[in-house]
Amino acid sequence: MKILVTGGTGYIGSHTCVELIASGHEVVIVDNLYNSSADVINKIEKISGVKPAFYQTDILDKENLEKVFQENKFDAVIHFAGYKAVGESVAIPLTYYENNIAGSINLYQLMKKYQVRNLVFSSSATVYGDDFEVPFKEEYGLGTTTNPYGTTKKMNEMIITDMNKADENNSAVILRYFNPIGAHESGLIGEVPNGIPNNLVPYIAQVVAGQRDFLRVWGNDYDTVDGTGVRDYIHVVDLAKAHVKAIEYAASHKGTEVINVGTGKGYSVMQVLKAYEKACGKQIPYKVMDRRPGDIAVCYADTTKAEKLLGFKAQYDIDEMCADSYRFTCNLAKQ
Ligand code: NAD
Ligand code: WQD
């Protein structure tokens, strides 16, 4: 298939492009490089042997986005482009709604105009909010989101569902990612945080690289194995492979499916820290702080639907996730 990948030079998008190419698909990337660099295109080529077509285009710029549709006959779209920082979304909500909602609507309107019927959308476990019992199941539906970023994901899910109800020839798979970490085993692509990382593993990586003094562990008084927060970390390459299965599923079905992508296992902050210490061979300094507002104690996926519908099961374990993150961090430090 010829697939438009919005946000394809970003963290998850770049790994997905590698897996799409490996599965014989043709990839066209649209990204405005707000949170990524054009050099990622060369890295994708180095890993996969194929240089994807690239348009430096903002999805908010509908006129230029339309040119991409005029120049290419797409079979499908994987939509990653968006802003993703939870804290920032609280401070500048309109910017988040504009980019993540108005940008998405531009894209969906062009898909309709050019009859591109198959879509995979990047949603998040954050749409479950704090309303449900773990493991989170897709059938729970949408919970109460606690920040504008999460609300943009929830709204996109609703928009896509309504859009496909109105046109029964459309097909979409909405993937709810849990906590993607790690990097490609080549060490060439991975997550490059913009500023001070909010997420656990990028923060640990910067402590290991000497850019931060210590990890701040946000609370150790939760009702968990060691009191620290538990999450379902998934290797970004596993997540990328899930996209290949999801877009192939979308192309051979109609309607809308919401599917969790996680491992189904939870690890605490301290367990991740220990796994990272094993990967880098040194102790990582940390200090226990108060709980971070808005955090929940435990979050992990029910992965039954991904297995049943997509035949997807995550392969990498937490040690491999940390080892690959560490390799990428070492390469970044050399640049
Ligand atoms: P990322 O920031 O690395 O990638 C997003 C890409 O989109 C970037 O390259 C950025 O430059 C581009 N972009 C942003 N706004 C754009 C616009 N208006 N026009 C064109 N390009 C634009 O983020 P990621 O971690 O790869 O996340 C990809 C998607 O997955 C996002 O939608 C994110 O919300 C979602 N998601 C991420 C996580 C996570 O933990 N990383 C978890 C759940 C869902
Ligand atoms: C994981 C655990 C923290 C940083 C967020 C978004 C979610 C999704 C993934 C996009 C928690 C603890 C963290 C630190 C810490 N993104 N922690 N010290 O909060 O599960 O999810 O990213 O969709 O929407 O909310 O991920 O990596 O921030 O936190 O102790 O410096 O690590 O308290 O228990 P989270 P995270």
Side-chain angles (χ1 to χ4, degrees), residues 11-12 31-32 34-36 58-59 80 84 99 149 153:
Y11 173 46
I12 305 168
D31 201 299
N32 65 357
Y34 167 81
N35 197 31
S36 53
D58 196 310
I59 59 167
F80 294 104
K84 63 166 181 176
N99 202 41
Y149 164 74
K153 291 297 171 193

Side-chain angles (χ1 to χ4, degrees), residues 5-7 11-13 16 78-81 84 120-128 136 138 149 153 157 173-181 231-236 238-240 242-243 246 258-263 299-301 312:
V5 182
T6 74
Y11 173 46
I12 305 168
T16 300
I78 305 183
H79 180 30
F80 294 104
K84 63 166 181 176
V120 169
F121 174 70
S122 302
S123 190
S124 167
T126 197
V127 301
Y128 289 111
F136 292 146
E138 295 85 348
Y149 164 74
K153 291 297 171 193
E157 291 203 11
V173 175
I174 292 168
L175 295 178
R176 290 183 181 159
Y177 313 157
F178 281 66
N179 292 57
I181 61 167
R231 296 290 183 274
D232 184 339
Y233 297 93
I234 177 163
H235 197 296
V236 66
D238 270 329
L239 179 56
H243 285 78
V258 175
I259 303 178
N260 288 336
V261 192
T263 63
C299 171
Y300 58 92
F312 171 77

Side-chain angles (χ1 to χ4, degrees), residues 84 86 123-126 147 149 153 177-180 197-203 215-219 222 228-231 233 269 292 295-297 299:
K84 63 166 181 176
V86 170
S123 190
S124 167
T126 197
N147 55 77
Y149 164 74
K153 291 297 171 193
Y177 313 157
F178 281 66
N179 292 57
N198 279 310
N199 293 122
L200 178 65
V201 170
Y203 202 99
L215 172 72
R216 296 163 302 172
V217 174
W218 301 127
Y222 288 106
T228 64
V230 167
R231 296 290 183 274
Y233 297 93
V269 174
R292 185 171 65 176
D295 269 353
I296 58 174
C299 171

